[in-house]
Amino acid sequence: MDSRRLLRTSATALAAAGLILTGCSGGSDAAASRTTAPASAPSPSSEAPKLKKYYGQKLKWRDCGVEGFQCATLRAPLDYAKPDGEEVRLAVSRARATGPGKRLGSLLVNPGGPGGSAVGYLQGYAGIGYPAPVRARYDMVAVDPRGVARSEPVECLSGPQMDTYTQVDQTPDDTAEINALSAAFKDFAAGCEKKSGQVLGHVSTVETARDMDILRAVLGDEKLTYVGASYGTFLGATYAELFPARVGRLVLDGAMDPSLSALDLNRDQTGGFETAFRAFAADCIRKAGCPLGTESVAAAGEALKKFFRDVDAKPVPTGESRELGESLATTGVIAAMYDEGAWPQLREALTQAMGGDGSGLLALADSYYEREADGTYANLMFANAAVNCLDLPPAYQGPADVQKAVPSFEKASPVFGAGLAWAALNCTYWPTPPTGRPHRITAEGAAPILVVGTTRDPATPYHWAQSLAGQLSSGTLLTYEGDGHTAYGRGSDCIDTAINTYLLEGTPPAEGKRCS
């Protein structure tokens, strides 16, 4: 499995957030989706003198224990409104430019989430797998965002508690099941509040973008060069909004639309997973032995829905103490939607599960949740909820709102609609109030920004990229006609050449360029 799977199959919030959204991103008021500025965005320039000690710090680089990489710790204020108060310590890693050619500075990368480890992504993929000409000219750099992985990680539940949480029925059929799901979300939120302390209220995207500017300065770069994928596009766009004059070359791949409310984001993403499933089903039914039949895409969808109902009524053994119920089965299927390379694995896992062995789908679900073989979980799911629930108001006020919304979600996706509608109830019970609101990002005065969209992206629907490119005053849209989540490094020479040229020469592709 390529390390970029973090964007595709390990994204828990991506079904619950693309790793972006469902389950926690916020904002149910359609009118609020046109707010013009985030509530939590103070003027960085007005506070610059107070932040001098952070902008002037020197990083002490050390060996990471990973060949070719150095590590350091960056200091930032816990609360930017109180720069003389407590600090957060953020994990940074880099791989020096390999040459030949003149060094262009630092290239910061973020794999998305929110909650994905940028340091892990750098050391496992970007720092060794990005095109050689790019790595030759740039120091490849990553910082785990506050609350994530090695940077003051948000913690919520133990491994056994997470096992229980991931198996809760997310398509409740009666009042008792609705109450059980609500209780699970409440327990999750309470665990985060108990275990995470003050950092829980200070992991917003605005704060992380401000951390990135401190890192830019400390690295000695006049402007930020950045590749962000999935949620990383929202982080990059937020940086451009806060610091337009400091924008260098920004690639936003698999773009989010910051103008949408959580309800709209989750519903759109639900439609994205339906689009991806239909592409998978069209491929599957052409193959002998497709577990969903060979009749039609529509019939394949009905077959999958029946399978979900069957395992909801009677979970399937997996060879361990956890059985495969509807929630884990759905997560396993969604995990494979992020990358068409996982489709053969999904066909085999569905065939096994329909024959009474749920181990294959369970393995897919575990990869999505970043569950280790020893039963422990990475903090991806915890950080994802914490960031999303701060960035936007909750999608619902309570279960009654979900029940009203379910039909529209089922219209967006007959296969996944109900489950993803209920998953968005999470932030309703969050202990810290949201600090951001949905709004358009224009970043007036920024240098050209490259926005990349994939036409059948499951987690960040293509029209989000169209919207973000249109909002940004200097945005240029590059389109990949294909499947999977994000486009860079997925095998399209056309996409890779366009992005490499932009990063190395500063010239974005012609507006409207399309690749396959």
Side-chain angles (χ1 to χ4, degrees):
M1 171 190 76
D2 135 12
S3 64
R4 294 189 74 214
R5 187 182 74 183
L6 181 63
L7 293 174
R8 302 168 191 141
T9 61
S10 96
T12 268
L14 288 175
L19 253 183
I20 298 175
L21 316 167
T22 304
C24 335
S25 40
S28 60
D29 185 350
S33 70
R34 300 303 166 186
T35 302
T36 57
S40 56
S43 169
S45 59
S46 67
E47 297 186 6
K50 300 177 183 179
L51 298 172
K52 185 176 180 179
K53 68 177 181 179
Y54 294 109
Y55 277 86
Q57 67 187 289
K58 304 294 183 183
L59 294 180
K60 297 180 180 179
W61 294 102
R62 61 187 184 277
D63 181 71
C64 289
V66 179
E67 185 177 357
F69 294 91
Q70 296 174 305
C71 289
T73 300
L74 180 77
R75 295 181 296 108
L78 173 68
D79 184 348
Y80 276 90
K82 300 175 182 179
D84 293 325
E86 295 192 33
E87 297 180 342
V88 291
R89 296 181 177 272
L90 309 175
V92 181
S93 183
R94 73 177 178 185
R96 301 306 297 268
T98 60
K102 180 181 178 181
R103 179 181 173 277
L104 294 175
S106 305
L107 172 56
L108 191 65
V109 296
N110 182 281
S117 171
V119 170
Y121 174 68
L122 175 76
Q123 296 176 355
Y125 173 72
I128 55 177
Y130 264 36
V134 173
R135 291 184 287 112
R137 306 287 299 281
Y138 285 101
D139 289 347
M140 300 292 295
V141 181
V143 54
D144 277 348
R146 50 175 65 203
V148 174
R150 302 162 178 84
S151 295
E152 313 270 353
V154 170
E155 297 294 341
C156 301
L157 301 178
S158 67
Q161 288 172 327
M162 273 298 291
D163 281 347
T164 299
Y165 176 79
T166 59
Q167 295 177 75
V168 175
D169 188 351
Q170 289 203 1
T171 56
D173 300 314
D174 53 36
T175 300
E177 290 187 350
I178 290 174
N179 291 341
L181 180 58
S182 296
F185 286 144
K186 290 176 182 177
D187 289 345
F188 183 96
C192 297
E193 183 177 33
K194 180 179 179 180
K195 293 188 174 186
S196 299
Q198 293 185 74
V199 73
L200 192 66
H202 293 285
V203 293
S204 71
T205 297
V206 165
E207 290 163 310
T208 294
R210 298 190 68 175
D211 296 341
M212 283 169 45
D213 194 58
I214 292 176
L215 179 59
R216 172 204 59 77
V218 170
L219 291 170
D221 294 320
E222 182 180 349
K223 296 190 175 184
L224 179 74
T225 300
Y226 172 82
V227 176
S230 196
Y231 159 80
T233 66
F234 178 47
L235 178 57
T238 299
Y239 180 91
E241 179 180 40
L242 293 172
F243 307 101
R246 299 174 192 171
V247 167
R249 301 167 187 178
L250 264 59
V251 177
L252 309 180
D253 183 12
M256 288 182 61
D257 182 352
S259 75
L260 297 177
S261 70
L263 186 63
D264 289 334
L265 284 168
N266 282 288
R267 190 161 41 212
D268 280 2
Q269 191 177 66
T270 298
F273 283 113
E274 181 71 18
T275 297
F277 169 73
R278 292 179 67 83
F280 162 74
D283 178 75
C284 186
I285 64 175
R286 291 195 294 266
K287 294 177 168 59
C290 173
L292 302 178
T294 57
E295 180 183 342
S296 67
V297 169
E302 289 301 319
L304 184 59
K305 287 168 62 179
K306 180 181 183 302
F307 168 70
F308 287 155
R309 290 194 299 269
D310 289 345
V311 294
D312 185 30
K314 186 178 180 180
V316 176
T318 64
E320 59 168 270
S321 60
R322 292 177 299 154
E323 293 183 312
L324 184 79
E326 183 181 13
S327 291
L328 286 173
T330 302
T331 301
V333 173
I334 283 176
M337 294 297 99
Y338 285 84
D339 188 343
E340 67 271 26
W343 289 357
Q345 183 181 358
L346 177 59
R347 287 196 304 271
E348 181 179 359
L350 282 171
T351 299
Q352 291 174 340
M354 291 176 178
D357 175 7
S359 59
L361 279 180
L362 182 64
L364 281 167
D366 284 351
S367 72
Y368 186 86
Y369 285 119
E370 291 197 349
R371 183 187 190 274
E372 302 295 336
D374 64 2
T376 60
Y377 288 75
N379 95 309
L380 172 71
M381 185 73 166
F382 311 142
N384 180 268
V387 175
N388 281 327
C389 294
L390 270 187
D391 278 351
L392 292 170
Y396 309 118
Q397 296 302 306
D401 289 345
V402 186
Q403 291 173 311
K404 293 176 184 177
V406 165
S408 66
F409 275 74
E410 290 183 321
K411 182 178 180 181
S413 174
V415 176
F416 304 114
L420 294 183
W422 281 101
L425 183 63
N426 191 355
C427 286
T428 301
Y429 308 109
W430 204 247
T432 54
T435 56
R437 296 192 67 80
H439 64 287
R440 294 175 62 83
I441 292 180
T442 60
E444 294 287 344
I449 297 173
L450 182 56
V451 179
V452 187
T454 298
T455 55
R456 293 186 294 279
D457 191 312
T460 51
Y462 176 62
H463 64 88
W464 288 1
Q466 293 175 301
S467 179
L468 179 59
Q471 290 172 44
L472 291 167
S473 63
S474 60
T476 294
L477 178 63
L478 173 64
T479 299
Y480 174 53
E481 296 178 344
D483 298 293
H485 185 36
T486 74
Y488 190 35
R490 290 180 54 81
S492 168
D493 289 340
C494 175
I495 288 287
D496 291 354
T497 298
I499 293 175
N500 294 343
T501 300
Y502 171 69
L503 289 173
L504 295 172
E505 301 176 12
T507 305
E511 182 63 48
K513 183 175 180 61
R514 302 179 75 89
C515 298
S516 59

